Amino acid sequence: MKKVLVVAPHRDDETLGCGGTILRHLDEGDQVYWLICTTLNEAVGFSKERIRIRNEEIERVDDAFGFNGFKQFDFPTTCLDQIPNNQIVESISEYLNEIQADTLYLPYRNDVHSDHANVFDASISCTKSFRYPFVRRVRVYETLSETEFSMRTDDPGFKPNLWIDISSFLDRKIEIMKIYKSELAEHPFPRSIESISALAKLRGATAGFHFAEAFMSIKETL
């Protein structure tokens, strides 16, 4: 049995990036924990109603997946680059040590949203074998509307080397994604049902599956 921690900069990144894989882990009897690194608050311009709806969505998604544990930090969304890195590292380290996860799923370092880069950097600091010997696998996921929009000239691009068959779980992934009503729109919006399905079909075709999610495996300790 694996103990999995899915680290999401924002709520919905976990479903977009590895929702099918989460469902597969749970179906196979693994323990899966969900960490959201940011939150909405009025200080950065969000209304009480928007915050209330967001919190309700998070509760519904937590129930829909059936996570073994869930935690959300109070760092304000879109502002992680203003938070000292050591504070983010300490927060992730504390939760990681609490659950002793052996498998981590992280956002891609070069996603266009700066929060994703800050979460990746802080999380990677918590994978050193001499301090976190229980971490055996680190996998990086792609996030629609973030990964493919990176325009950095020094970015080699998201190059997967691990494909996980989610053919039996894509429909359920999409149903869970629909809980985030404000994040979905009609095609050609990047976070449309058509786009989610198309990416899963493309990744599946690469690996000989009907549908798949792709990852960059940057640590696999046997």
Side-chain angles (χ1 to χ4, degrees), residues 35-47:
L35 172 61
I36 305 176
C37 293
T38 62
T39 188
L40 302 186
N41 60 51
E42 293 181 75
V44 292
F46 294 96
S47 68

Side-chain angles (χ1 to χ4, degrees), residues 100-185:
Q100 298 277 298
D102 54 61
T103 303
L104 305 184
Y105 287 92
L106 309 178
Y108 181 53
R109 174 62 176 78
N110 291 322
D111 283 350
V112 71
H113 201 308
S114 61
D115 281 352
H116 289 224
N118 285 277
V119 167
F120 176 88
D121 288 345
S123 298
I124 282 297
S125 296
C126 301
T127 63
K128 297 176 180 178
S129 59
F130 58 90
R131 289 182 179 160
Y132 306 89
F134 48 84
V135 176
R136 313 295 290 176
R137 288 165 290 274
V138 181
R139 298 165 177 176
V140 175
Y141 58 81
E142 57 185 333
T143 308
L144 277 169
S145 79
E146 302 293 352
T147 307
E148 76 275 24
F149 281 98
S150 175
M151 297 295 178
R152 289 181 48 169
T153 56
D154 62 339
D155 179 15
F158 183 84
K159 296 182 178 179
N161 56 7
L162 173 66
W163 291 260
I164 295 180
D165 184 0
I166 64 163
S167 301
S168 299
F169 304 101
L170 178 62
D171 289 344
R172 181 61 178 155
K173 168 180 174 169
I174 290 172
E175 287 305 309
I176 293 173
M177 188 62 206
K178 287 179 180 178
I179 294 173
Y180 296 123
K181 292 181 180 179
S182 63
E183 300 299 327
L184 291 173

Side-chain angles (χ1 to χ4, degrees), residues 4-7 13-25 103-108 120 137-143 147 157-166 173 199-200 202-204 206-207 209 211-220:
V4 177
L5 175 60
V6 179
V7 183
D13 291 328
E14 79 296 324
T15 306
L16 287 168
C18 49
T21 298
I22 291 169
L23 292 166
R24 177 166 174 162
H25 274 296
T103 303
L104 305 184
Y105 287 92
L106 309 178
Y108 181 53
F120 176 88
R137 288 165 290 274
V138 181
R139 298 165 177 176
V140 175
Y141 58 81
E142 57 185 333
T143 308
T147 307
F158 183 84
K159 296 182 178 179
N161 56 7
L162 173 66
W163 291 260
I164 295 180
D165 184 0
I166 64 163
K173 168 180 174 169
L199 181 59
L202 174 65
R203 295 310 188 192
T206 303
F209 304 133
F211 300 103
E213 287 172 339
F215 303 90
M216 293 175 64
S217 174
I218 57 177
K219 182 177 183 178
E220 295 281 336

